Amino acid sequence: MRYINETLVIFSHDFYCQDVFDVIGKIDFCPYMQIFYPYAIQVYNSQFPGDDPKDCPRNLEKEEARRRKCNNAEYQDPYRHYREAQEAQVKHHWLWKVQFIFENCSLLRNFEGILFLVEDDFYLAEDTLYYLKKLERQGRIHCPECKMYIMGQTTDYSQDEYQSGAAKKDYWWVGNGLGMALRKYFWKLFKYCKKSFCFFDDCNWDSTLMVVTATCIPGGLKILKPLGSRVFHLGSCEGFHRHKAWKTTDVLNKVLRTLNHNRNYLFPEHVFVASDFPVLVKRTTPYGGWTDIRDHEMCLRIFNNQSLSTADLRKIHQNLFT
């Protein structure tokens, strides 16, 4: 991507793997750093926030859980499921990395620029950062109320959408975009929503964010995003969004065809805002998996910039029995 050499790339790990470290160590086209989620279940593999051997299995009936006296027998979600460490970690890690970058990283303590969040299975067009710079200039003028830029969409795109170089106003919700670009101002607003975020019974950070920001941030989470996507999701055949009929190479080839077809419209000279905001539809139904009071307490401590020792984690665990 153009401007990648001027960009600090941060890899946030929740899994320790030498093969991954070796690949990152070969990067020579941009400055980079690595940060490490300190409460990874790979390390805490037999205690909270990992899976304690005495925790209730996900699908155990509540009466049986009580009979067994497993740790979190009283904390079943409305779908009759108990906590899963692997699912819970995704939400904790997302929160921790944003909090760490904006508040704890000495290198970035005074950073007021854009933090662009990219998942490990995203593919970015070569003009992504170029377009983001243009989009921010327009956003300051034509959408000062926009608190985030979203650089990708989740649908297929026509040639006309790229040809115009336009962006549109919208509200952020799950499925309405990929690649969040935000500033510390958003983080400061979001911190006022910490109790709502930490207590909402949904182990998905994005679903929680959608509900919380729609109700906690005045006016909702307003965004700008390009009509022609610059960020694409390649992980349709793996992970949480598995599609058995697809292969990663098939998805990549489709993305490359789209970009090649529209190559003359990348790096637009002008970006303009094409529409006003649609009607905001609020969703309030949680997906569950976040009923355990240990996750609530840990989430609040991350927000409050409280470092957690093994003793602290044990204390959080004891809250189950008080």
Side-chain angles (χ1 to χ4, degrees):
M1 291 185 298
R2 186 180 297 181
Y3 299 123
I4 191 63
N5 60 310
E6 302 174 11
T7 303
L8 174 63
V9 178
I10 303 174
F11 296 91
S12 185
H13 300 276
D14 60 17
F15 189 80
Y16 298 83
C17 175
Q18 188 61 50
D19 290 342
V20 174
F21 301 154
D22 290 344
V23 172
I24 294 173
K26 296 176 182 178
I27 292 175
D28 60 2
F29 51 83
C30 67
Y32 71 87
M33 64 184 292
Q34 301 182 74
I35 61 177
F36 298 87
Y37 175 62
Y39 316 114
I41 59 176
Q42 182 187 20
V43 178
Y44 293 88
N45 56 9
S46 59
Q47 68 177 91
F48 178 83
D51 285 314
D52 189 297
K54 295 183 179 179
D55 280 354
C56 304
R58 178 182 185 271
N59 296 319
L60 191 66
E61 292 292 334
K62 193 168 188 176
E63 290 307 311
E64 176 63 16
R66 287 171 170 168
R67 189 186 68 79
R68 294 187 190 182
K69 296 182 180 180
C70 53
N71 288 330
N72 49 339
E74 299 304 317
Y75 300 98
Q76 192 179 64
D77 72 19
Y79 305 98
R80 301 166 66 184
H81 296 148
Y82 287 104
R83 175 186 193 269
E84 292 181 277
Q86 185 174 352
E87 303 269 351
Q89 176 170 271
V90 177
K91 186 170 176 176
H92 285 308
H93 181 196
W94 182 87
L95 174 64
W96 174 85
K97 69 185 176 186
V98 177
Q99 188 277 337
F100 182 86
I101 290 169
F102 279 136
E103 295 193 4
N104 276 0
C105 181
S106 58
L107 182 64
L108 299 171
R109 189 158 291 146
N110 298 315
F111 178 66
E112 297 292 338
I114 291 179
L115 175 65
F116 183 29
L117 300 174
V118 180
E119 300 293 334
D120 55 10
D121 58 357
F122 286 0
Y123 185 92
L124 279 64
E126 60 183 305
D127 73 337
T128 300
L129 296 177
Y130 169 93
Y131 192 100
L132 179 56
K133 287 172 177 280
K134 295 264 187 180
L135 187 62
E136 186 187 27
R137 294 192 194 104
Q138 290 299 308
R140 290 176 180 270
I141 300 171
H142 299 290
C143 193
E145 68 272 38
C146 287
K147 301 173 179 67
M148 187 180 291
Y149 307 113
I150 300 295
M151 295 304 294
Q153 300 193 57
T154 53
T155 57
D156 292 328
Y157 318 99
S158 69
Q159 182 171 333
D160 291 340
E161 288 177 304
Y162 282 90
Q163 188 172 357
S164 68
K168 70 174 183 177
K169 298 178 181 179
D170 209 335
Y171 291 95
W172 185 83
W173 46 273
V174 178
N176 191 31
L178 308 168
M180 295 176 155
L182 51 94
R183 288 181 174 271
K184 188 177 288 187
Y185 171 69
F186 169 79
W187 171 249
K188 291 178 179 178
L189 281 178
F190 182 48
K191 286 181 69 175
Y192 288 106
C193 308
K194 61 184 178 182
K195 287 187 176 180
S196 299
F197 185 86
C198 290
F199 287 95
F200 188 71
D201 185 14
D202 196 319
C203 63
N204 302 289
W205 66 264
D206 50 359
S207 299
T208 306
L209 184 69
M210 175 177 66
V211 173
V212 168
T213 54
T215 55
C216 177
I217 293 180
L221 181 47
K222 294 179 177 178
I223 64 169
L224 273 180
K225 66 176 183 178
L227 295 183
S229 183
R230 264 62 184 183
V231 176
F232 303 86
H233 183 214
L234 301 185
S236 302
C237 48
E238 297 179 7
F240 290 104
H241 306 287
R242 185 174 291 113
H243 193 297
K244 294 181 180 179
W246 295 350
K247 297 179 180 179
T248 302
T249 51
D250 294 336
V251 181
L252 176 58
N253 288 334
K254 183 178 181 180
V255 170
L256 294 177
R257 285 195 298 270
T258 298
L259 292 174
N260 185 59
H261 181 70
N262 294 286
R263 63 185 181 278
N264 292 333
Y265 307 119
L266 300 180
F267 298 98
E269 183 176 354
H270 301 290
V271 170
F272 68 95
V273 179
S275 63
D276 209 343
F277 293 102
V279 176
L280 173 61
V281 179
K282 296 180 180 180
R283 185 189 70 80
T284 58
T285 304
Y287 289 130
W290 195 263
T291 307
D292 200 305
I293 60 172
R294 294 173 294 180
D295 288 316
H296 300 168
E297 176 67 17
M298 183 173 173
C299 178
L300 287 173
R301 292 196 183 203
I302 293 173
F303 262 115
N304 293 333
N305 196 20
Q306 294 175 311
S307 178
L308 299 174
S309 65
T310 300
D312 293 323
L313 293 169
R314 288 199 187 105
K315 186 176 181 180
I316 290 175
H317 185 86
Q318 287 302 311
N319 289 337
L320 292 170
F321 311 106
T322 59

